[in-house]
Amino acid sequence: MAARSVRVAELSKSFEAETALHGIDLDVSPGDITVVVGPSGCGKSTLLKCIAGLVDPSEGSIQFDGTDVTDRRPADRDLGFVFQEFEDTLFAHMTVRENVRVGLEQQSSVDAADIETRIDDILEMVAVSDLGDDYPENLSGGQQQRVELARQLARDCDLVLLDDPLADLDYKLQKRMELELHRRHAASNNTYLYVTHNQTQALELADELVVMNAGRIEQVGTPASVYHDPETAFVGRFVGDSNMIEGVRDGTEGAISTDAGELVAADAGAGSEEVVVLVRPEEIELQPDPDAVDNTLEGRVQGRTFIGDETEFIVSVPGIEDTVLVRLPGSVTVDADEVTIGWDADATLVYGLDELSVDPDFALADLRELYS
């Protein structure tokens, strides 16, 4: 069984007066874990359901390995799909083992002698081995979600669509499931198309990351390229944490005037226009040598949080509406409340008002309200 490629071309979907997808173009490479991330209501699940055949697109086409499947029934698309609404997908009259077995028995490629072994392996993978004889009604929401994940992965389809399959799990179980998904994917080399609103999970799982906003694709790339080189202010603000400072290009190459002071950016451009500056928390130093950084601002520490391998500081800076998040490696303390923060010019991301988002209706006020 070979991994499958997916091509979505000019795909649009409208529900009465509301447009959920606006001309989506997307290529999913065979054998990759492609993760689609975006805020609630941005069209992620609608895109997945169109690919699965559960929702008919208003316009556009869907191809699997170059073959148009836009008009095929879901049953004829030969894929696995883990629904977000998993409660309605398990067979209530079947035990956990029977739910997993039913899909395997329908596959002619699966040797009957291997079915029970495969069931044991997949139930252990999703940490429900001791629930094999239980019925869905006796399981918690998180347990039901893992059983549905097991049922679909056991089928070993060459294309698997996953709609936020770990959303109902606690943190430790999420981390375990992420690891197991990576292991299973590496062993099978199948194509996974994974939808989530969890940016951290998206960065950790993805071979390729797709960022959506308001029914449009903002950016496609590796997690590292999307994180370090966001093409729009929306991407920089949504994917991971970032500090936002509003300012104006003052006409000098690389110089930006803000209410907090003058800033320098490596690629700010010239001319005079309103801009948004984004700086990642880990790019900011606390009490730096002023000669070793390009930008320095004075502030006051409002809080400190130790989070295991890092320490986060909340710093208020006169002239910046929001507090500034500073993230340092290890356990760090400072003796003074009044501090200097600083960062380099090449860590200063600058966006004009025409670079906020690919959504033409997205405004500066929307960016101010957007939190990752």
Side-chain angles (χ1 to χ4, degrees):
M1 185 178 293
R4 194 181 304 182
S5 67
V6 179
R7 177 170 178 75
V8 175
E10 291 296 318
L11 195 75
S12 296
K13 178 59 183 178
S14 296
F15 297 96
E16 298 180 351
E18 180 183 353
T19 301
L21 299 175
H22 298 265
I24 297 291
D25 289 309
L26 178 63
D27 287 298
V28 178
S29 299
D32 275 1
I33 301 179
T34 297
V35 180
V36 183
V37 67
S40 298
C42 72
K44 306 183 299 294
S45 293
T46 300
L47 173 61
L48 211 63
K49 289 177 179 178
C50 285
I51 294 172
L54 301 172
V55 170
D56 294 327
S58 303
E59 296 179 14
S61 65
I62 301 164
Q63 296 179 2
F64 293 168
D65 291 335
T67 300
D68 194 310
V69 298
T70 312
D71 297 325
R72 284 189 186 177
R73 298 180 309 149
D76 297 329
R77 300 196 184 197
D78 189 26
L79 50 78
F81 193 160
V82 179
F83 292 85
Q84 199 171 35
E85 302 86 1
F86 57 88
E87 297 91 342
D88 300 325
T89 60
L90 297 175
F91 296 111
H93 64 288
M94 294 184 179
T95 66
V96 166
R97 291 188 70 86
E98 289 168 344
N99 264 281
V100 177
R101 184 186 297 116
V102 68
L104 289 172
E105 290 177 338
Q106 293 171 351
Q107 291 183 284
S108 58
S109 60
V110 179
D111 189 327
D114 294 334
I115 287 180
E116 296 307 316
T117 299
R118 287 179 62 168
I119 293 174
D120 289 338
D121 290 344
I122 198 68
L123 292 184
E124 182 177 356
M125 171 195 151
V126 300
V128 292
S129 294
D130 56 337
L131 303 177
D133 295 327
D134 289 357
Y135 289 88
E137 65 178 3
N138 298 322
L139 306 180
S140 68
Q143 289 168 341
Q144 289 183 37
Q145 194 171 35
R146 280 178 279 156
V147 173
E148 176 58 16
L149 180 62
R151 187 169 67 159
Q152 295 301 326
L153 292 180
R155 295 174 58 212
D156 199 26
C157 295
D158 52 3
L159 173 61
V160 183
L161 310 182
L162 302 118
D163 191 0
D164 226 352
L166 310 182
D168 280 8
L169 307 185
D170 62 36
Y171 176 78
K172 287 189 176 181
L173 266 177
Q174 281 194 15
K175 303 309 291 183
R176 172 175 173 174
M177 290 300 101
E178 288 171 19
L179 178 61
E180 294 294 350
L181 280 172
H182 266 304
R183 287 177 176 170
R184 189 162 190 89
H185 176 262
S188 69
N189 197 38
N190 294 334
T191 304
Y192 287 4
L193 184 55
Y194 189 107
V195 159
T196 183
H197 67 280
N198 186 321
Q199 303 95 314
T200 301
Q201 192 177 102
L203 290 169
E204 292 173 349
L205 280 175
D207 295 312
E208 186 156 72
L209 189 62
V210 180
V211 185
M212 288 188 66
N213 179 33
R216 296 174 170 85
I217 291 180
E218 293 270 350
Q219 187 171 350
V220 179
T222 65
S225 67
V226 171
Y227 185 83
H228 293 295
D229 190 21
E231 293 177 358
T232 64
F234 171 87
V235 174
R237 188 75 164 145
F238 183 79
V239 179
D241 293 315
S242 62
N243 297 292
M244 175 176 164
I245 308 169
E246 297 178 40
V248 178
R249 289 190 178 102
D250 68 3
T252 305
E253 183 73 26
I256 302 161
S257 296
T258 78
D259 290 341
E262 294 294 313
L263 301 178
V264 179
D267 188 24
S272 298
E273 67 168 323
E274 192 173 354
V275 296
V276 171
V277 171
L278 299 181
V279 186
R280 296 292 189 189
E282 64 273 14
E283 298 288 352
I284 302 175
E285 297 182 47
L286 201 62
Q287 306 291 50
D289 178 350
D291 296 326
V293 293
D294 300 305
N295 298 289
T296 58
L297 297 173
E298 303 302 317
R300 184 177 182 83
V301 174
Q302 301 293 331
R304 173 189 177 275
T305 304
F306 175 61
I307 52 175
D309 57 349
E310 295 175 319
T311 304
E312 292 185 345
F313 290 88
I314 302 297
V315 180
S316 61
V317 176
I320 299 179
E321 183 175 350
D322 294 329
T323 54
V324 175
L325 177 64
V326 179
R327 186 175 292 137
L328 304 175
S331 178
V332 181
T333 59
V334 292
D335 296 330
D337 291 334
E338 304 295 331
V339 295
T340 300
I341 61 173
W343 65 91
D344 293 330
D346 58 5
T348 311
L349 305 174
V350 184
Y351 301 90
L353 298 189
D354 60 344
E355 300 171 308
L356 298 182
S357 170
V358 297
D359 176 12
D361 296 323
F362 192 83
L364 186 55
D366 299 313
L367 191 67
R368 292 188 188 112
E369 295 175 0
L370 183 66
Y371 293 93
S372 57

